[in-house]
Amino acid sequence: MPKRVKRRSDTKRRVGRDIYEARRGSSSSQGYDSNWERIAQRRRQLDYYLCQECLKRGLSTSAKDVDHIIPLHVRLDWRLEIGNTQVLCRMHHRAKTEQDNELYGSSTEANVSAIQQTCRDAARRLQEPPRGAGASQIVTRVDMGTRAPKHTCARDIVPQGVLNERS
């Protein structure tokens, strides 16, 4: 079988990816060290390596990605809190990251909207992690309109109707 001919676009993609990875930093510089690996492994075992969003839909999908329910840039103090983690498949992890970026703003965003700031403040006021004791009463799903299907935010702290407004 003949070798595949390298295309110029392949080289561009590789160079672009290398630049992205260099800017992004190492996984340990992002907070994913041996302590995180220990917590992530424990969460995978607790969730039986099954995507929690798929389970809610009645599906059994194996998964390895461990997600912070409240993102790190919102609650850094819960980085190693097992109650703030869940196992998700790649599809649901990507979708949740997009939802988190819309709900809380991204970690690189300097200016966040009033709604995003309200949600950040609400998450920072939570006393215990979402999957801690009584977590089902602490966190709820809130509809944010037609663009984003569902998001997680603390219902006790965010005023009624705030999330349905767009800024």
Side-chain angles (χ1 to χ4, degrees):
M1 182 174 232
K3 284 188 172 183
R4 183 172 168 247
V5 178
K6 271 193 175 182
R7 296 189 179 106
R8 186 174 174 181
S9 62
D10 293 339
T11 306
K12 279 184 175 179
R13 262 189 236 125
R14 191 184 80 243
V15 169
R17 187 176 59 239
D18 292 345
I19 291 169
Y20 169 75
E21 291 296 330
R23 282 187 194 150
R24 188 172 162 197
S26 67
S27 58
S28 62
S29 72
Q30 295 176 40
Y32 299 108
D33 54 9
S34 61
N35 292 329
W36 165 249
E37 284 303 319
R38 191 180 76 250
I39 295 295
Q41 184 60 32
R42 181 70 181 130
R43 173 48 64 198
R44 288 183 197 103
Q45 291 169 349
L46 289 170
D47 288 348
Y48 301 101
Y49 286 81
L50 295 173
C51 174
Q52 298 305 294
E53 284 298 315
C54 289
L55 283 176
K56 290 176 187 175
R57 293 166 172 76
L59 304 170
S60 289
T61 306
S62 65
K64 290 184 180 179
D65 290 354
V66 177
D67 171 64
H68 285 95
I69 299 168
I70 306 292
L72 285 180
H73 65 277
V74 176
R75 286 298 299 256
L76 188 58
D77 57 323
W78 284 355
R79 180 178 78 90
L80 298 176
E81 182 62 53
I82 193 89
N84 188 39
T85 59
Q86 64 183 346
V87 174
L88 295 176
C89 64
R90 289 279 163 113
M91 181 185 74
H92 283 120
H93 193 251
R94 274 192 219 108
K96 175 158 179 311
T97 300
E98 287 178 19
Q99 290 175 350
D100 286 347
N101 287 342
E102 186 170 331
L103 184 64
Y104 299 108
S106 74
S107 59
T108 59
E109 235 175 294
N111 299 320
V112 295
S113 71
I115 294 171
Q116 291 169 336
Q117 190 59 52
T118 301
C119 287
R120 282 184 180 198
D121 293 342
R124 289 178 181 137
R125 283 193 294 263
L126 290 174
Q127 296 298 312
E128 39 181 85
R131 291 184 81 178
S136 59
Q137 288 82 37
I138 295 173
V139 177
T140 186
R141 296 285 193 176
V142 179
D143 189 352
M144 289 212 32
T146 56
R147 282 190 13 191
K150 300 277 181 184
H151 296 278
T152 304
C153 199
R155 72 167 177 237
D156 299 329
I157 302 168
V158 178
Q160 285 286 337
V162 167
L163 295 177
N164 292 327
E165 300 168 8
R166 304 309 269 180
S167 58

